[in-house]
Amino acid sequence: MLKHITFRKIFSIDALGALITFIMLSLVLARYESVFGMPEDMLNVLAGVAAGFAFYSSACFFLVKSNWLPYLMVIATANCLYSLTTLVLVIHFYQSLTVLGIAYFMGEIILVVSLAVLEFRMCRKNGIK
């Protein structure tokens, strides 16, 4: 599977995913806080981080032409830290989260960690151990 994924494709996938996360958190979940249960201020923090990731991955897509491994390591690590932070928030706010909120955040964690695993595999395959 990794044979067909270029570093530009992975940065574009990461940027698009982060943009979708930003939109979901800031425009959907924040607007319907009672439906999901996560406090709006936490959603805004997560949305801000997602916007930063979207900017970073977009910049990498357009600007990085060579020596892309360190940039991919950065976003893979950041994705893992984002997922860990989201998990901590789910645990902390568990009592106020609805089933839909838990489902959203667990789904997001699964998707982001899966992407990070793919990114780490690309790094390992291309020389970073």
Side-chain angles (χ1 to χ4, degrees), residues 25-127:
L25 293 172
S26 63
L27 299 179
V28 178
L29 274 74
R31 183 171 290 161
Y32 300 103
E33 180 183 343
S34 63
V35 175
F36 296 94
M38 183 68 76
E40 186 176 0
D41 58 337
M42 292 294 106
L43 293 170
N44 290 334
V45 169
L46 291 173
V49 172
F53 287 8
F55 177 80
Y56 176 86
S57 292
S58 295
C60 290
F61 176 83
F62 288 109
L63 300 175
V64 175
K65 304 297 182 208
S66 62
N67 195 28
W68 51 269
L69 283 171
Y71 299 99
L72 190 59
M73 266 313 261
V74 167
I75 198 63
T77 303
N79 281 335
C80 287
L81 293 172
Y82 175 87
S83 296
L84 181 60
T85 301
T86 302
L87 181 60
V88 167
L89 289 173
V90 167
I91 292 167
H92 182 74
F93 292 105
Y94 184 78
Q95 295 299 322
S96 66
L97 290 175
T98 65
V99 171
L100 193 56
I102 292 169
Y104 172 83
F105 288 109
M106 296 312 292
E108 180 180 79
I109 290 167
I110 290 167
L111 286 172
V112 174
V113 167
S114 297
L115 179 60
V117 166
L118 179 62
E119 291 166 342
F120 282 127
R121 285 183 181 164
M122 284 185 72
C123 288
R124 189 178 68 231
K125 179 183 175 223
N126 288 282

Side-chain angles (χ1 to χ4, degrees), residues 3-16:
K3 292 177 186 178
H4 304 302
I5 299 178
T6 66
F7 75 92
R8 289 182 46 85
K9 281 183 187 176
I10 201 77
F11 282 124
S12 67
I13 291 166
D14 200 285
L16 181 61

